[in-house]
Amino acid sequence: MKTLTYLFSVTLCCFGLYVLETEGNMFNVYNVASRIQEISTFVSAIGDAGLKNNLTGSSQFTLFAPTNEAFNELPANVKNNKTLMKSIVMYHITKGMLTHKRILDDSTVDSLLQGAKLRLNKYGFQSFALPTICITGVNADYFDVHASNGIIYILEKVIYPFPKQNAYEVAARSTDFSTLSFLLVKDKLDALLKNAPHVTVFAPTNKAFQNVPSKTMSNLLSNQTALDNVLKFHVLQSTYYTAAIPRRSGKLVLTTESTKRVTFYTGEDGVLYVDEAKVLTSNITLTNGVLHIIDKVLIPH
């Protein structure tokens, strides 16, 4: 189990780390954050961004604070860009006190960065174990660290780059998905991927389509119903990052837009799969969900 290094006393409880209340605003959200050594880089970045005074007053905020190790993994050109670093800090803060119990799965909140929303996912909350909390696809190692005017979550990664494209735009603007994007338009499914607020897309590459038997591919191109069934077998109107896969079973059964089910799981070889397709790249965050790149076209049985 991971531990945090605090420079003051806290009370432990089953749903997080609760800071002992003190007189005045000594333990405001900025001061609490500054006493957690593992997020000192984020705290310094708050000061550099000129946001310290915002967090020490009476207004309420929730901080999604990446660890120092996470910041160290950022490219040097990002860390040395003051304007970009300020945007990154602002993207990791939202107004209000948002405890994990108040998070609704597949919801969004406005960050302090103008026009940029954070996607909140809560997986496993129906079991007796603590839920897995994801903030725009990044796992929270700790949550519900309380302060007098806010809440702190500690993230294992920095949320960067920011999501700027919806599901269809990612497919249409990449040469790796030219076949997929063509078929989405042909089936008129592109509108769903543009406009649905929450989607998961298992996206086959061009090579995956090239490996489809010619007879099957000809049928898809000539039979609208068959094409619709296959494409919808790759789409869900909910957001499922890999964090949604239960740790104990390693398998997650999902109902797709075709009403057929797929299994999203970790194989014995440690590789991610969707049914028989390998996941080549996972957790590509979209403005309206997540996309996983797969090496085979899924054919519903």
Side-chain angles (χ1 to χ4, degrees), residues 57-74:
S58 59
S59 298
Q60 297 180 339
F61 295 94
T62 298
L63 311 186
F64 301 106
T67 63
N68 299 337
E69 184 178 353
F71 272 103
N72 288 338
E73 293 176 357
L74 287 176

Side-chain angles (χ1 to χ4, degrees), residues 10 22 31 56 70 78 85 92 99-100 107 115 147-148 167 170 173 178 203 222 227 240 242 255 268 270 298 301:
V10 297
T22 60
N31 286 337
T56 56
V78 173
M85 283 298 294
H92 287 73
T99 65
H100 88 278
S107 59
S148 62
V170 168
R173 295 176 184 179
S178 57
S222 60
L227 177 61
Y240 291 100
T242 54
T255 302
E268 293 181 359
L298 304 173
H301 300 294

Side-chain angles (χ1 to χ4, degrees), residues 179-199:
T179 303
L180 175 62
S181 59
F182 166 76
L183 294 175
L184 288 170
V185 173
K186 180 178 174 61
D187 190 48
K188 299 180 181 178
L189 196 60
D190 56 320
L192 175 67
L193 270 59
K194 292 175 184 175
N195 301 319
H198 316 291
V199 295

Side-chain angles (χ1 to χ4, degrees), residues 108 117 119 163-167 169 194 196-197 285-290:
T108 58
K117 292 182 178 292
R119 179 171 296 276
K164 294 182 178 180
Q165 297 178 330
N166 61 47
E169 288 171 334
K194 292 175 184 175
T285 296
L286 316 166
T287 55
N288 62 340
V290 66

